[in-house]
Amino acid sequence: MRGKWIPFLLILPAILYLLLLMGYPLFETFRLAFTSNEGVFGNFKRLVESGQFWNAMKNTLLLTVVIVPIQLILALGLALFVNKKFKGYTTILYFIAIPLALSDVTAALMSYTIFSPNGYINKILMNFHLIERPIYFFGYLFKNREFWVVALTEVWRATPLVFIIILAGLQSINKEYLEAADLFGFSKWKKFTKIILPLLKPSIMSALLLRTLFAFQIFGVVWLLAGRDIPVLAGETYYWYTFMNDPNMASAYALVIALVTIIVSWFYITFLRAKHLEGAR
Amino acid sequence: MMKKFLIIFLSVIISLWFLTPVFFIVLASLTPSSDYYNPTKIFPSRLTLEHLYKLFVTLGGGKATLVSIEVALISIGVSFLLGLPAGYALTRYIFPGKNIIRLSMLMTRSIPLIVIAVPLVVLYMRLNLADTTLGVALAHASMILPFVVLITSSVFSGISVEYEEAGMVFGLSRFQAFLRITLPLALPGLAASAIFAFIMSWNEVFAASILTLTNRTLPAHILNTAMASPDYFKFAAGTIMAIPAMVFIFFIRKYLVSMWGITLK
């Protein structure tokens, strides 16, 4: 066939650019991570032997496990609701989309206006004489509260991304399937589990994959609200680079993040795809 | 009747959930400092633009905003120039390795930008790009590019290939068909994607703060100066960053759904 090379030619510039500006730095990151006074794996040895690393790993996984399922369920509910296309649904769509435009720094600051000692929750409670002294949500002594404030902020900030992807999937579902189901007298629940959910699987998978990639890089919200009280992998990367001036350790942390994400994504893709094919049989 | 009530009720709850934090940060940035530190005062006795003004003029926020806009515009230019053809190819052609390319575009996000930025500093010194607006813009473009590829591919897939084929039947070349038929139809969606790319660059902090010292973008400037300031300056900073982004999303709200129709098949 003539012009077989055209798609490659169209994609080539983008790939070359990414190779130069992401591939080369990534290669450098590998080099830095495997350079140490104590041999090739020196940085990783230090990493594994430090309690902070395991803490950071634990917190990152914990946040992911708490946040991602909540986001998926909320986003699914919101998408099903907005897809009803009632009067004024575009306004609701806009409100839900607002956090898409906000950086993690901004979202963290918003959370801080609400939960800080001078924040609105304390002001409101004190105004109604429900408490006498402000409740502290931040600080090393209140790690548990900090954790939930961070989780809540992330749920607020990042649910819209999942929502948008799922809504796009929902709108691409062929109406005829649902009409056919009505004809056969399917209940609402049966329509949801037998038709909508299976057809949504590709969108759900993309959303989950994206969210998991981001969850392992969770940083801004944690850093601003909790600092190193709640160490996370990306936070430790930043800490080792900026405060300890140790690009080698920072690179080692970064590679761990990349590795964990790749493993988890691979798991998603094989696991969910296998299930999807099973459903089709 | 019951159903209508339920829809209104849910709409109100959803709106409150998403708007309250925004409302509070804007309110906090307009609250005089004495009222802010008064624990029983929820609503300030008067509103003031003092914090916003100080952040913008005295603390260098104005200059940083200009840098942010410049960086965003350059990075959009670069990422669209390179990403648009790739997005088109991913939608309209079938070729080996297509899914791998699509997936690896998504996977570039598993590499934290903080660490990409470190080796970039070294590369930039060699290329005389260190501490320049262009340098940050090129780094942002590398972050945005994969999204531009995925999002534009999603926009193009929303436009039936049959229009193009019809054009080609009437003697247009594939490129002409694209230029005269598909591109005009895709333009609103592409503009929306560009605005989204703008927001991504506008919000990015780390590459910007590691790659520059004197030409910092607004978030980088804020991370390095306002974080050490009193609370109300932080809220002013949050407000300055939030308002433009919210206005942009308002303009592209219709296209958000078609943009994000990305799935891995």
Side-chain angles (χ1 to χ4, degrees):
Chain A
M1 208 175 87
R2 179 167 70 92
K4 238 182 176 171
W5 42 270
I6 289 178
F8 295 105
L9 206 66
L10 291 173
I11 291 175
L12 200 63
I15 289 184
L16 286 180
Y17 188 84
L18 286 176
L19 279 180
L20 178 70
L21 270 113
M22 290 200 115
Y24 162 77
L26 189 65
F27 173 76
E28 277 293 303
T29 305
F30 265 96
R31 201 181 58 78
L32 285 171
F34 288 106
T35 305
S36 133
N37 294 330
E38 300 121 56
V40 184
F41 292 102
N43 294 314
F44 292 97
K45 209 167 152 247
R46 260 174 88 196
L47 205 89
V48 175
E49 281 166 6
S50 75
Q52 200 68 346
F53 168 75
W54 294 108
N55 261 335
M57 182 67 105
K58 194 192 78 188
N59 287 327
T60 309
L61 289 174
L62 204 60
L63 278 169
T64 310
V65 169
V66 168
I67 294 166
V68 174
I70 296 180
Q71 283 176 333
L72 185 64
I73 293 167
L74 278 181
L76 200 56
L78 286 171
L80 286 171
F81 179 64
V82 169
N83 202 34
K84 289 206 180 317
K85 299 202 170 146
F86 48 89
K87 205 176 152 215
Y89 82 98
T90 43
T91 314
I92 300 296
L93 181 68
Y94 169 57
F95 290 160
I96 300 175
I98 283 176
L100 272 181
L102 303 174
S103 65
D104 44 1
V105 173
T106 313
L109 288 174
M110 286 180 176
S111 210
Y112 192 72
T113 57
I114 296 171
F115 291 104
S116 78
N118 288 308
Y120 287 100
I121 285 214
N122 278 316
K123 281 188 182 192
I124 290 167
L125 290 177
M126 280 165 87
N127 219 13
F128 287 103
H129 302 287
L130 291 169
I131 52 169
E132 279 177 23
R133 265 168 295 158
I135 303 171
Y136 286 92
F137 290 96
F138 305 112
Y140 192 78
L141 288 172
F142 308 107
K143 265 196 205 171
N144 272 334
R145 293 181 195 171
E146 260 179 354
F147 180 89
W148 289 109
V149 173
V150 166
L152 185 68
T153 312
E154 270 297 297
V155 166
W156 182 83
R157 187 185 73 84
T159 301
L161 184 63
V162 186
F163 159 79
I164 285 287
I165 296 174
I166 291 181
L167 184 63
L170 214 50
Q171 295 195 345
S172 71
I173 289 178
N174 194 336
K175 295 267 177 325
E176 283 166 20
Y177 292 132
L178 296 172
E179 281 160 15
D182 281 335
L183 223 60
F184 286 106
F186 275 35
S187 69
K188 267 193 177 163
W189 176 248
K190 214 171 172 189
K191 266 200 286 189
F192 177 69
T193 51
K194 298 283 181 208
I195 298 173
I196 296 176
L197 220 46
L199 288 173
L200 266 185
K201 244 178 195 155
S203 310
I204 291 177
M205 192 176 85
S206 311
L208 277 181
L209 189 57
L210 257 186
R211 269 313 306 156
T212 316
L213 294 186
F214 290 143
F216 281 101
Q217 290 173 45
I218 183 171
F219 170 77
V221 170
V222 183
W223 191 259
L224 288 178
L225 293 179
R228 281 185 88 216
D229 297 351
I230 302 175
V232 287
L233 291 174
E236 290 306 294
T237 314
Y238 183 68
Y239 172 78
W240 280 98
Y241 178 71
T242 345
F243 291 88
M244 303 305 279
N245 232 329
D246 190 340
N248 301 80
M249 278 295 272
S251 304
Y253 264 106
L255 281 192
V256 170
I257 299 176
L259 190 71
V260 177
T261 8
I262 287 168
I263 292 172
V264 173
S265 321
W266 172 83
F267 177 78
Y268 270 143
I269 291 167
T270 45
F271 179 72
L272 279 179
R273 181 176 285 171
K275 273 234 159 162
H276 185 54
L277 289 179
E278 232 170 38
R281 230 184 282 151
Chain B
M1 192 60 210
M2 197 55 205
K3 204 177 166 190
K4 207 175 172 189
F5 177 76
L6 193 69
I7 283 178
I8 293 171
F9 177 73
L10 283 174
S11 300
V12 170
I13 299 279
I14 293 169
S15 309
L16 282 178
W17 168 257
F18 284 104
L19 291 180
T20 310
V22 181
F23 170 75
F24 276 145
I25 201 169
V26 174
L27 183 68
S29 73
L30 299 175
T31 302
S33 36
S34 57
D35 285 357
Y36 174 70
Y37 289 115
N38 183 345
T40 54
K41 231 183 182 115
I42 302 172
F43 294 99
S45 44
R46 65 184 175 89
L47 296 177
T48 173
L49 288 173
E50 187 193 350
H51 310 315
L52 285 166
Y53 180 81
K54 268 201 185 138
L55 184 77
F56 219 62
V57 179
T58 325
L59 295 174
K63 191 204 161 208
T65 306
L66 289 180
V67 174
S68 274
I69 293 172
E70 201 184 328
V71 165
L73 290 180
I74 298 173
S75 54
I76 289 174
V78 173
S79 53
F80 266 75
L81 197 68
L82 301 171
L84 201 73
Y88 182 79
L90 281 182
T91 316
R92 287 289 194 260
Y93 292 90
I94 296 165
F95 55 92
K98 184 169 147 169
N99 280 326
I100 293 168
I101 290 175
R102 203 190 283 271
L103 191 64
S104 38
M105 288 289 163
L106 214 63
M107 293 299 281
T108 51
R109 292 311 308 253
S110 67
I111 308 154
L113 261 188
I114 320 165
V115 172
I116 295 286
V118 178
L120 272 185
V121 176
V122 185
L123 179 69
Y124 279 7
M125 298 239 237
R126 249 181 268 157
L127 297 173
N128 262 338
L129 281 172
D131 201 12
T132 61
T133 323
L134 181 64
V136 181
L138 291 179
H140 281 188
S142 75
M143 167 187 82
I144 295 169
L145 181 56
F147 270 83
V148 170
V149 174
L150 293 174
I151 290 177
T152 54
S153 136
S154 165
V155 170
F156 284 132
S157 72
I159 294 160
S160 173
V161 66
E162 280 151 26
Y163 294 130
E164 255 170 78
E165 280 164 0
M168 285 180 339
V169 167
F170 285 105
L172 293 175
S173 71
R174 180 132 209 176
F175 183 64
Q176 282 171 326
F178 168 74
L179 221 55
R180 294 212 203 143
I181 299 167
T182 309
L183 193 63
L185 286 172
L187 217 50
L190 295 179
S193 318
I195 289 173
F196 201 83
F198 187 99
I199 294 168
M200 284 177 74
S201 164
W202 173 261
N203 281 336
E204 201 282 327
V205 167
F206 300 106
S209 53
I210 287 174
L211 292 176
T212 52
L213 276 174
T214 51
N215 289 310
R216 284 203 156 132
T217 61
L218 188 61
H221 180 71
I222 283 165
L223 195 74
N224 291 284
T225 57
M227 280 308 153
S229 320
D231 283 355
Y232 43 83
F233 280 125
K234 292 181 198 166
F235 303 147
T239 305
I240 291 185
M241 286 193 290
I243 300 289
M246 283 168 58
V247 171
F248 283 160
I249 288 280
F250 179 80
F251 285 118
I252 63 172
R253 67 193 186 287
K254 272 204 290 191
Y255 302 101
L256 280 173
V257 178
S258 56
M259 260 166 58
W260 284 97
I262 47 172
T263 48
L264 296 162
K265 273 170 207 147

